[in-house]
Amino acid sequence: MSRQRVVVTGLGCISALGPDVETFWRRARAGESGIGPIRNLDMADIRFQHGAEIAGFVPTEHFEEKELIPLDRFAQLAVVAARQAVAQAAPGWTAGERQQTAVVTGSCYGGKSSEDEGFREIYGSGGKRPRIHPMTIPRLMANAGSSWIAMEYGLQGPAYTVSTACSSANHAIGQAYWLVRNGVCDVAVTGGCEAPFTPGSMKAWEALRVVSGDTCRPFSKDRKGMVLGEGAAMLVLETEERAKARGATILGEIAGFGMSADAHHVTQPSVEGPAMAIERALVDGGVDGGAIGHINAHGTGTPANDPVETAAIRRVLGAQADKVRVTSTKSLHGHALGAAGAIEAVAAVLTLQRGEAPPTANYLGLDPECDLPLILAPEACDAEYALSHSFAFGGLNAVLLFRAYRG
Amino acid sequence: MLEFMSDDILQRVIKVVAEAQKLPIEKVTADATFEELAIDSLDGIQLLFHLESEFDINIPDEAARQVRGIRELAEGVEKLVAQKGA
C-alpha cells in the first residue's frame, strides 16, 4: 500500500468565537475569549454559570424549516461547518469520486438536547399520554453529523462517527487521515460536532465537579476546572497528489496520528497514556520530538489534567519541552467535548499556515507543576510541526501531528 | 472543634461513607483519612452526592476540594446544616 501525503484544503468552524473560520481566527489570535455567562439555559439551579455558547446562531438562516425537523443542534452545526470547509476546498468531485469520499465525524453526546427534551416530556407528563417526538431517534444518534454531511454532498465512501468523549474529533480526524494516506479514498470530510447545553447535561457536569465556577485557566495557578463549549469544525482532507493536480490551495498537512489508552482510571489521567499517544504520533509521522515547535494542548484547565499533560510532554519531548511553544485554545472556545479536537485542528493548521499562534487566555501566574513555555500573548510562529492533543475521560488519548505545507 | 460537633451528624456521615464505599462501618472512624480508606477523588464526588441527599444541603466545589478525612467531612457537613437552619 503506497503511503500518500495528506493535505488540508478546506476548513470550517462555528464556535463561541464566531460563525466562520475568519472570525474564529481573528478572535483566537488576539486571545479574545468566547467564554461568558450561559444565556440559552436557566442556570439558576446550577453551581457553575459560564460556558462558551455560539452567539446569534439562527438555524433558519441555514436550513429550511422542514429540513430542521430531524436535525438536532449538534448536527446543524456539523453541516454548517462542513459547508464552509467544502466551499473553501471546492473539491470538484466527479460522480465516481463522490462514491469514494469518506465522512468521519466525532461526537461525544450526539443529539443531547432532543433526548433531554423528549425524556422530560415523558417523565414529567404525570401519566397523561406520555409521548415523544417521532424524530427523536434520528436527531439523537451520534452519527447524525456524518449522515447529514454525506447526504448533503452525496458522499458514499466510508462514513461513520467516533465517540470517545473529549477525544472524539481527534480520533475521527486521525481515522480519516489514515483512510486517505493508505489509499482507501482520495478525499475525506472530517471533524467533530457538539451541542452539550441542555438542563440534564448541565446537572450531570455539575455533579462531576470538574467545571470551573469562573472561567477556564489552562496551566495557570488557581485554575478551577474546565468550561463547556459548543460548536463544530470540519476539514477537507485529500491526497497531496490530487490537490496539486487540480491546483487547489493547500492550507496544511497532517503528518502523523497516535492513539493510546491509559487503562488506569475512569477520570484520573495518567502520564503514561498521553505520553504513549504523543510518542506514537511522532513515530507515525517519522519525526523526532526535537522537530515539534508548537503544541495545541488538551489543556482543559482542570486541576488534574494540566500537570499530567505537562509531565507527558516533558517525558516525550525531553529538552525540546523547554523550547516548544504551548497554547490551550480551550481558554478561548471552551471545551467543546467531541468537537474540541476539530476546533483545535483548525487552530493548529492556521497557526502553521499563517505563522501566528493564539495565546492561552485567563492566565493568573505560574503553577510549578505546569511549567511549559506557554503562549500568553499573540506571537509569531515559525514552527514546521505542531501537535494537537486530546485526552478523554475513560483514558482514551488521540494526538494529531500537523505540518506546515511548504510544497 | 469535635466537642461542638453533633455526634448524630458524625454518625450519619460515617454511615453514608460506609454504605457508599461498601466498607465495614467499624473501619470508618472519625479519625480515618480518605487515603486510609482508599477513597479517591471520584469516590469523593460520589460521597458528596450522597451527603447532599442525606442532609438536604448543597456542598460547594471549593469547600469540597479541601477535605481529606472523615472528621473534616463531618465538620463541613455540620457547618452547611447549620447555615441551612439559620
Side-chain angles (χ1 to χ4, degrees), chain A residues 47 206-213 223-225 265-268 303, chain B residues 40-46 48-49 52 58-62 64-65:
Chain A
R47 241 187 324 260
E206 177 189 52
L208 193 57
R209 295 176 185 269
V210 293
V211 177
S212 168
R223 64 187 178 280
K224 297 203 163 56
H265 187 281
V266 72
T267 55
Q268 285 299 307
Chain B
D40 71 11
S41 65
L42 196 61
D43 297 326
I45 290 164
Q46 294 174 74
L48 300 176
F49 175 72
E52 286 185 334
N58 188 359
I59 305 173
D61 290 345
E62 280 308 293
R65 217 165 269 160

Side-chain angles (χ1 to χ4, degrees), chain A residues 271-342:
Chain A
V271 175
E272 190 190 20
M276 286 167 85
I278 298 168
E279 177 73 38
R280 287 170 187 171
L282 296 176
V283 170
D284 188 55
V287 167
D288 184 81
I292 304 302
H294 175 75
I295 297 176
N296 190 310
H298 185 52
T300 54
T302 60
N305 174 79
D306 299 357
V308 166
E309 184 168 9
T310 302
I313 290 170
R314 288 200 170 280
R315 184 181 291 186
V316 181
L317 296 196
Q320 185 63 17
D322 288 319
K323 296 181 201 145
V324 66
R325 303 298 293 164
V326 179
T327 194
S328 168
T329 52
K330 287 191 176 75
S331 58
L332 310 174
H333 51 67
H335 190 345
L337 306 175

